[in-house]
Amino acid sequence: KAFIKWVILSAAVVLAAHVIPGISVTGWHAALVAGIVLGLINLIIKPILAILTIPVNILTLGLFGIVLNTLLFWAVTYFVTGFTISGFLPALFGSILVSVVMWFVHIFLG
């Protein structure tokens, strides 16, 4: 099940690169590595940052969560060669697209 989610996450990264200008992936290898790194960031770093930013999240009525998700998606580019994002707006739209895809995956796979 984890393998299937990883492959779908990598496919979502490729989809974001094809749909959103400013995001590029050089190939499936880079997308698979980006999927691993993004999964690890969401598993390890995101919960810690979510707890630390609770006051800001309360003040912004949860909108800072979107900014946090965007910054973590953008951070993947620093660890993965062949995966680039050219600015904040492509990172924002890419993180939203990947999140929606993974939300559907979570609904259907549990």
Side-chain angles (χ1 to χ4, degrees), residues 1-99:
K1 192 166 160 178
F3 177 77
I4 293 170
K5 287 184 178 182
W6 168 54
V7 171
I8 294 172
L9 177 60
S10 301
V13 169
V14 171
L15 175 66
H18 280 82
V19 172
I20 299 167
I23 299 177
S24 66
V25 178
T26 57
W28 276 102
H29 179 265
L32 291 171
V33 174
I36 290 173
V37 172
L38 186 58
L40 289 173
I41 285 175
N42 284 335
L43 183 68
I44 299 167
I45 298 172
K46 186 175 181 181
I48 296 167
L49 290 177
I51 290 170
L52 292 174
T53 59
I54 286 174
V56 177
N57 241 336
I58 291 171
L59 287 174
T60 62
L61 302 175
L63 291 177
F64 188 74
I66 295 170
V67 173
L68 180 63
N69 202 29
T70 300
L71 294 174
L72 292 175
F73 184 68
W74 201 357
V76 175
T77 62
Y78 294 103
F79 301 106
V80 180
T81 306
F83 178 57
T84 57
I85 300 175
S86 65
F88 183 79
L89 284 178
L92 172 67
F93 295 131
S95 69
I96 291 171
L97 177 64
V98 170
S99 295

